[in-house]
Amino acid sequence: MAIPNEFKETVRLKADIVRIVGEYVKLKKSGAQNFSGLCPFHAEKTPSFSVHSSRQFFHCFGCGKSGDVFKFIQEKEQVSFPEALRMLAEKLGIPMPRTQYSSEF
């Protein structure tokens, strides 16, 4: 199923990465636009996981994982991009676009 780019962008713009990641990781403000916490992808005792609110990006300085909100959900939930998109859309209350099929004879 092809997902329209406009739909992807709508979900991306409405999905605040700090709020979404905050559902999985206890984040603390560490600067004007940064938040930090323990990485959910590997065991650690001191925070090396950072989320940047205005750039909508995460990065772990310990294991090197990084990306946008879609990549975070893909990694954390072990799902494909379309499934991560669907999960975020549902969480945000954004209806999935209807697929229209056309057939020519």
Side-chain angles (χ1 to χ4, degrees):
M1 173 177 98
I3 302 168
N5 285 334
E6 304 86 43
F7 180 71
K8 293 176 198 174
E9 262 321 290
T10 299
V11 173
R12 184 185 316 275
L13 291 172
K14 291 190 178 192
D16 176 25
I17 195 167
V18 174
R19 185 176 72 80
I20 300 297
V21 171
E23 294 177 7
Y24 296 87
V25 178
K26 183 176 180 180
L27 295 173
K28 291 184 180 179
K29 194 154 178 70
S30 63
Q33 300 176 354
N34 289 332
F35 292 81
S36 65
L38 298 175
C39 181
F41 305 117
H42 75 280
E44 63 181 6
K45 294 183 180 178
T46 57
S48 65
F49 186 77
S50 178
V51 179
H52 195 279
S53 63
S54 67
R55 293 189 325 187
Q56 294 293 298
F57 188 81
F58 76 90
H59 180 75
C60 177
F61 294 95
C63 67
K65 292 196 184 221
S66 62
D68 62 7
V69 69
F70 296 120
K71 186 67 173 177
F72 179 83
I73 295 296
Q74 284 179 265
E75 293 286 336
K76 187 65 184 149
E77 298 291 339
Q78 296 293 298
V79 296
S80 65
F81 176 80
E83 186 65 15
L85 178 61
R86 186 193 60 75
M87 290 172 73
L88 283 169
E90 284 180 3
K91 187 179 297 259
L92 299 168
I94 302 170
M96 292 290 289
R98 294 185 181 261
T99 304
Q100 294 183 350
Y101 299 98
S102 63
S103 61
E104 295 182 25
F105 291 98

